[in-house]
Structure formats: structure tokens, C-alpha cells
Amino acid sequence: MSLLELRKLNKHFGGLHVTNAVDLTLEAGEIHCLIGPNGAGKSTLFRLILGEHHPGSGDVLFAGENITALKSFARIRRGLSVKFQVPGVFKGLSVRQNLEIALQSRHRGRELEAEIDRLLVFLGLESEQAQSAGNLSHGQKQWLEIGMAISLKPSLLLLDEPTAGMSPEETHLTGEMVQRLNAGGMTVLAIEHDMAFVRQVAQRVTVLHLGQVFAQGSIDEIVADERVAAIYLGQAHA
Amino acid sequence: MSGLVSFFRRLEGPQTVGRGPAFWSLFAVVMMIALAYPLFSDGYTVGNTVYFFVWVFIALSLCLIWGYGGSLSFGQTAFFGIAGYGYGILTLNFGSAYGFTLVALVAAVAIAAFFAALLGYFMFFGRIAGVFLGIVTLAVTLMLERFMAQTAGPEWHIGSARLNGFNGMSAMPPLTIPWPGEPIVLFADVGLYYFVLGLLVFVYLALRILMNSSFGNVIVAIRENPERAEMLGYDVRKYQLITFVIGAALAGISGVLYTAWGQYITPSSMGMTAAALPLIWVAVGGRSDLTSTVVGTLVVLAAFQALTIYGSQYALVFMGVLLVLTVLIAPNGLVLGTMNWLGRLAARLSQRAG
Ligand SMILES: Nc1ncnc2c1ncn2[C@@H]1O[C@H](COP(=O)(O)OP(=O)(O)OP(=O)(O)O)[C@@H](O)[C@H]1O
Ligand SMILES: [Mg+2]
């Protein structure tokens, strides 16, 4: 059964048609990358999936249930989780407390502390745990938010540009982490501009352009597609 | 013993300044002084101290909603007034026998909380936030003030309690504790002092536990980033509403105690000046910390009163200057800034020693 199904999702911002009848199906267990030029509507599509925006028309189905009318928190509780494009950590709180807030609905007491410690090690943020999250580097904030997102043990993880601001080594590590999570049964949908990352993890790729699904296939098919190259080149010329 | 340790642990956490044996020893000393103080003072001064204590509850309400929750409510005085009038209306009708004043206290606070639940539902579920929340709450308190101010005529009464318009209600009974033989009437001196002190300590400790619990974590998370909090699966509106209702109940406690203390309540207790003052106490003390709020409120109130002797215009100017200084020197509050500085100093000293 498909885990996520988007049916003819339309969203307008005033006169701008940001997503245009987007159909997208995600199979349980896959790593799917969403690429496309700036302004293609990728982040907006995430917000439609999460219920932060509501589509003008179309449906969002998750695990067979139509969740189009559900509030965001209710969708999260059904097994969705997200790392936003702009890291949304709790800046004024310590790194440790950030993770505690993400983990506390699943764990209590000693078990909670142990779980936080484990995650801090996993993220490589042990020595930063007492710092305010606002003082972290951009890359560290990305890691922290990924950590918060995976704390919820989601069945579908949405990552909006997870490697922005990371070095190639860090990007590769992030890719390995995504693959590890996926091996544990997590389905992943990642928006990414870094093609090395896409090549590393993607099992299927969808290209979004001007709010429409432009192409879909394996990474090799997408790279070989001249039309895809053209829209990226077109952007490079612009 | 381990029960005691775990109790203290629940009182401490990242949301409250002050922890460990040093802090709690100081707390014990302050408590001892507070308990012994009426023995070394006269009834009038003690009554005046109670008056200061009474305001701490509304300050804590703002600390909770604004400092921790990040929603600036300008209208906590609305709940203060509702509960104050509620206490007056109930006790003027039903008297003080059989411990009814205590029932009236609880009922009046519950009415204020119920009103806050209605208003809060409309605001938070209608996604009113930021400056609009301040405007709506201010409008509510000013509306209530205007409304009560025009209830001078004899047609404005509830049961046998006349509302009396601008002059307000008076002559309601003080809080009275039923006692075999002679009921204990808590007049505005030693009796009320111990009652209010006990309530204050209870509320302070309960709020410390609440704010350092997982509930408190979610409240500060919403202050920092409501979108992220929602995306961790928390129903942000529900948490905001609960916080708002608890805050309203605290403001209501102030209202009842104030009414019982002076045996009067007027519409101006919900007016502009009354609404603005708690904001200043809390901002000057340190809105994001319970202890700073309590200490700041008491210090500012005492200073304000001391200056009023020389004329209330100086006192108001002083408040303005204090607020400006706070914003410039310690935007998170003067008391909180000082406590954090002391904490860092102590840490540095112990590091050097160790
Ligand atoms: N809340 C909004 N109101 C109005 N327009 C918006 C809003 N959010 C996004 N847009 C517009 O919608 C278009 C798509 O934005 P979106 O953020 O989805 O693009 P994207 O594909 O994620 O781009 P990028 O790769 O730069 O992150 C852009 O033109 C953007 O300006
Ligand atoms: Mg984007």
C-alpha cells in the first residue's frame, strides 16, 4: 500500500498557482527526493502535506486515510514529521531541552534522560547540550532539528533541504543517517538541491517545476533527461 | 528522604532560576523571616505588607501567560475585577457564616477562570496572537470598567448587592475561617497575613512544579516557536488556552484577596492604569522567571509606596524611569539579570576554588 498519496493538489497564493494539480505517490519504505528550481513549489507542497496550508482543491491521503481536513498536530500524531527549510529550533532553550521537548511525549523520567543522551551522541552534539540552540552553527541547527524530527519515530519523515550549509563530508554523513533510518523502516521524502546527496540516497526522484510534476524516475533517468537539464539550465541563465 | 529529594527535584529545572541547597537554604531563611515578621511589627504595617502580597498573584499570572507563554495579555485586570466583584456580590448576598467566604473565594476565582475559558477559546482557536491578543484583552478590561462605572442606579443590583457604579462596592465581609466556638475573621492584619503568605508560597511552589514539568516545556516551546511546537504533535491552541485560564485564576485570586483586604472594589481596578502596572512590575522583575517576578513585584510596589509619600506624580515618573532603565540595561528584567549575574559569579568562584 502507498504510504502517502497526493491527489490533484492545487494551491494559489493570490494570482500565483504554486502547486498545480500535483499527483504524487510514495510507497512505504522508499527514499524519495523532490527536486526542482527555486520557487518551484517544493516547500509549499510540504506545507500542504503537513496541513500548514490548505489546498484549494485536492486531497492528501496518509496510510489510506484522507487527512486533508486534519490539523497539523493531528497529522504529526499519525506518523508524519518534518525538518523545515529554515531550521525551526527553540532558539532560547538549551540543545538538551530542545530534544527533551521532542522526546517527552514518548518517554518519561530516567528513560527520557537516557534517550536524550543517546540522541545527543547520535547527533554529535554532546558538548553543545547546555548551549542555547540559537548559538549553534547553521549546520548544527540542521542536525538538531533533524534529531527532533526523528525523535517522534515517524513513519514518514519530510526533510526540506537537510544538508544546506553542510560541508561535503557532513552532507555524506547526513545521507548515511537517512539510509540508516530508512533501513529501520522509515519512509523519507527529501527536498534537496545537492545532487550528490540525491545520488547517494534517492531511490526515486520527482522533479517539480512551476508547481507541476515535471518528471519522475530513478536518479539516472532524471539526470539523463534533457528536459530536466533544460529547466535547470534555464534557471542558471536567468 | 528520597521522597523529599525527588520533591525538590521537581521544583527545579531550566525554567526557573535558583536550585540546589544554597537556594533552598536562602528560601528557608526568607520564610522564617516572613513567618516571624508580624511578631516584630504593628498591625498597620503588617496589613500594608499583605496589600503587597495580594498583587503578587496577578503579577504571577502575567509571568505565566506572557513571560513563559509569550502571549502578552494586557487585560489580566479583567479577571481581577470579575473575581473581586464576584466575591463582593456573593458575600453581600450570603454573608460569612459557615465558612461561606471561602466558598465565595473559590467560586469567584472559578467564575473568572470560566470567563477566561470563553474569551481564550475565541482568541486562541481564532488564532489571535501577538499584538492583537494584547489589544483584545485590553479592550475587554476597559469595557468591563466602563460597564461597571455606569451601574450607579438602584436598578443595578444582584440580589441584595448594589453595584454602585463608579464608587464601587464596599462593606463585604472579610475572609472568615469557621472555627468551633468563634469563627476566625481574617482582618487585614496578622490573620490575613498568614493566610495570604501561605497561599502565596503554595502557588509559587505549585507554579515551579508546573513550569518545570513537561507541560511547562511545551509552554516555553510555544513561546520560542509555535510552528515547531505544533510540528512536534502538540495542540498549541489547547496549551495556550489552559495557560490563559490558569493565569486568569491567579489574577482572580488577587482580585478576591484585594476585595477581602480592603472590603471594597471599584471599576478603576480594571482601568488603564491598573492594567498597565502589573506589566511594569513583571517586566522590571523578570517576566520569564517566577522568583524574579515575585521579588521584582514586591520591591517595585514597596518603592512605589515609599515615593508616594512625596507625591504620587514622582512615583509614576519613577515607574516610567524604571521601565526605561530595564529595557535599556536588562531587557529580561533587573532582578532576573542580577540573579543570573550572581549565578555566573558563583560558578566562576567555585571553579576557581575547585
Ligand atoms: N505564504 C506565501 N504567500 C505568498 N507566496 C508564497 C508563500 N509561500 C511561498 N510563496 C511563493 O510560492 C512559490 C513557491 O515557493 P516555495 O517556497 O514552495 O518554493 P521552493 O520550491 O521551496 O523553492 P526553494 O528551492 O527556493 O526553497 C514562490 O514563488 C514563493 O515566493
Ligand atoms: Mg523551499
Side-chain angles (χ1 to χ4, degrees), chain B residues 55-218:
Chain B
W55 293 108
V56 175
F57 297 90
I58 193 171
L60 285 171
S61 87
L62 209 51
C63 169
L64 193 67
I65 297 173
W66 180 32
Y68 285 99
S71 304
L72 175 51
S73 165
F74 215 115
Q76 292 309 99
T77 41
F79 311 118
F80 178 101
I82 289 171
Y85 271 97
Y87 177 81
I89 291 164
L90 285 168
T91 52
L92 283 174
N93 276 297
F94 298 106
S96 62
Y98 312 112
F100 183 76
T101 55
L102 298 178
V103 175
L105 179 140
V106 174
V109 170
I111 293 167
F114 177 71
F115 183 74
L118 289 182
L119 177 65
Y121 182 82
F122 157 72
M123 290 194 305
F124 296 114
F125 283 70
R127 301 268 184 194
I128 291 177
V131 69
F132 295 104
L133 194 121
I135 292 170
V136 171
T137 47
L138 178 62
V140 168
T141 195
L142 294 183
M143 242 159 53
L144 282 173
E145 183 210 14
R146 284 297 133 81
F147 178 79
M148 293 314 290
Q150 54 84 50
T151 57
E155 72 275 21
W156 291 101
H157 64 91
I158 297 177
S160 52
R162 281 273 304 272
L163 297 181
N164 282 332
F166 193 74
N167 294 324
M169 295 172 84
S170 55
M172 55 287 279
L175 288 168
T176 307
I177 297 172
W179 203 257
E182 184 99 9
I184 304 169
V185 183
L186 301 177
F187 290 110
D189 50 36
V190 181
L192 192 61
Y193 175 86
Y194 284 113
F195 180 81
V196 175
L197 179 66
L199 196 58
L200 186 57
V201 171
F202 174 78
V203 164
Y204 168 77
L205 295 179
L207 286 177
R208 278 189 80 111
I209 291 175
L210 183 71
M211 291 327 292
N212 286 315
S213 71
S214 55
F215 178 86
N217 270 342
V218 178

Side-chain angles (χ1 to χ4, degrees), chain A residues 37-85:
Chain A
N38 292 113
K42 306 179 296 293
S43 297
T44 304
L45 199 64
F46 266 24
R47 293 187 190 277
L48 289 169
I49 297 170
L50 291 162
E52 284 220 308
H53 291 330
H54 291 276
S57 64
D59 288 298
V60 181
L61 278 77
F62 183 68
E65 182 191 4
N66 191 330
I67 59 167
T68 319
L70 289 184
K71 299 263 185 279
S72 298
F73 71 89
R75 299 183 191 207
I76 300 297
R77 288 185 195 170
R78 276 169 175 69
L80 281 165
S81 191
V82 64
K83 180 244 153 242
F84 287 113
Q85 182 166 357

Side-chain angles (χ1 to χ4, degrees), chain A residues 47 52 77 92 97 101 145, chain B residues 15 224 227-228 233-234:
Chain A
R47 293 187 190 277
E52 284 220 308
R77 288 185 195 170
Q97 210 185 344
I101 291 164
E145 203 188 6
Chain B
Q15 255 87 262
E224 296 291 318
E227 183 192 35
R228 185 69 256 178
Y234 297 112

Side-chain angles (χ1 to χ4, degrees), chain B residues 306-323:
Chain B
L307 284 171
T308 313
I309 298 168
Y310 306 101
S312 63
Q313 67 272 32
Y314 294 114
L316 279 171
V317 168
F318 163 76
M319 293 290 255
V321 170
L322 205 57
L323 190 62

